[in-house]
Amino acid sequence: MRGTDRSRHRTQACATVLAEQVSGLPDTTDASALPADTDPADPAPGVGLHDAERETAMIGLFDAQHARLVRLAVLLGADQDAEDVVAEAFCVLHSRWYGLRAPQAAAAYLRSVVCNLVRVRIRRLQVSRRHADVRLDPVASAESTAMLHEDRRQVVDALEGLPTRQREALVLRYWLDLREREIADAMGISTGAVKSHISRGMHALSRAMGTRGGNGGRAGGGSSCWSSQY
């Protein structure tokens, strides 16, 4: 998908710039000009071993997590900005890599950053629309259009009508299938608050889906309305 390629290029460009800032010099060394006892596969002069390990880990994370994170951003309400949100999240992770408690925490950190960035985006849109006194129709991104059929779009439309925190809790629980502790970490709240958001959000979502489907308020319980559609 062209949009995904563009997002990947943005992320890789960001990683390159940040790596150059760390090392002080772009990695433009000609392998043929290296001393005879230097392995071309070794990190370039000025780039530490830890930096090389970080870049390798970032590439692996991008390949494994990018598409999933874009879909997460779409479901959280990023719409046409979903790919930009994810690209920014990878840049944030790159710049704060050494602050992670362990490399294994990177995926969870990315989820948390995506949640925060989408939340900020929604707040800015709300403020902008209030000041402009107009209601803008959301523009679906190519990613959201490709991943959603009509029945799935109904779920996303219903999600968009929920408060931000309820939407986040439901998406993280029933689409990513995270545990309550993981959701609490991603959202920066307590597990008790997570339970409350999930309960209230599921009730509101079921009511909204019931209204849309004309089935008297029954939209299916638990994760069935997620796992069967995503």
Side-chain angles (χ1 to χ4, degrees):
M1 183 179 295
R2 292 182 178 177
T4 301
D5 290 340
R6 288 196 301 269
S7 182
R8 179 168 189 152
H9 291 158
R10 282 194 297 268
T11 303
Q12 291 176 335
C14 176
T16 299
V17 170
L18 289 170
E20 290 174 0
Q21 291 175 347
V22 170
S23 66
L25 288 172
D27 182 14
T28 57
T29 305
D30 184 353
S32 64
L34 293 174
D37 60 348
T38 301
D39 185 349
D42 289 341
V47 178
L49 178 60
H50 289 308
D51 294 330
E53 291 174 346
R54 175 184 58 179
E55 305 313 316
T56 299
M58 288 289 298
I59 292 172
L61 275 168
F62 187 94
D63 291 339
Q65 299 289 332
H66 180 266
R68 192 170 180 83
L69 289 172
V70 170
R71 288 174 173 82
L72 171 62
V74 169
L75 289 172
L76 292 178
D79 296 321
Q80 73 272 20
D81 294 330
E83 292 178 356
D84 288 336
V85 164
V86 174
E88 185 174 349
F90 273 97
C91 287
V92 172
L93 172 62
H94 187 280
S95 66
R96 300 183 181 178
W97 180 266
Y98 300 118
L100 295 176
R101 61 180 180 274
Q104 293 76 14
Y109 183 76
L110 280 170
R111 288 195 298 266
S112 178
V113 174
V114 168
C115 288
N116 288 335
L117 290 175
V118 174
R119 198 179 305 131
V120 169
R121 173 191 179 275
I122 290 173
R123 287 172 181 168
R124 287 175 177 170
L125 283 176
Q126 290 172 341
V127 171
S128 175
R129 291 171 183 177
R130 261 200 312 271
H131 289 173
D133 195 27
V134 296
R135 179 175 178 80
L136 302 176
D137 293 329
V139 179
S141 68
E143 177 66 29
S144 64
T145 300
M147 80 178 228
L148 299 176
H149 296 301
E150 180 57 31
D151 54 347
R152 301 177 185 179
R153 170 55 64 184
Q154 290 179 5
V155 175
V156 174
D157 288 345
L159 279 171
E160 290 177 349
L162 299 182
T164 301
R165 289 296 198 174
Q166 291 180 16
R167 179 170 60 245
E168 289 178 5
L170 289 180
V171 170
L172 294 171
R173 174 66 185 90
Y174 293 115
W175 186 69
L176 285 186
D177 199 26
L178 299 184
R179 296 186 295 271
E180 288 175 352
R181 179 70 263 167
E182 293 173 314
I183 298 171
D185 290 342
M187 296 178 62
I189 58 178
S190 68
T191 55
V194 168
K195 293 177 182 179
S196 176
H197 288 312
I198 290 175
S199 176
R200 294 177 181 178
M202 202 66 210
H203 180 72
L205 182 66
S206 297
R207 187 169 60 247
M209 290 297 294
T211 301
R212 293 170 186 272
N215 59 2
R218 296 181 61 84
S223 61
S224 60
C225 66
W226 299 84
S227 59
S228 63
Q229 301 189 53
Y230 296 102

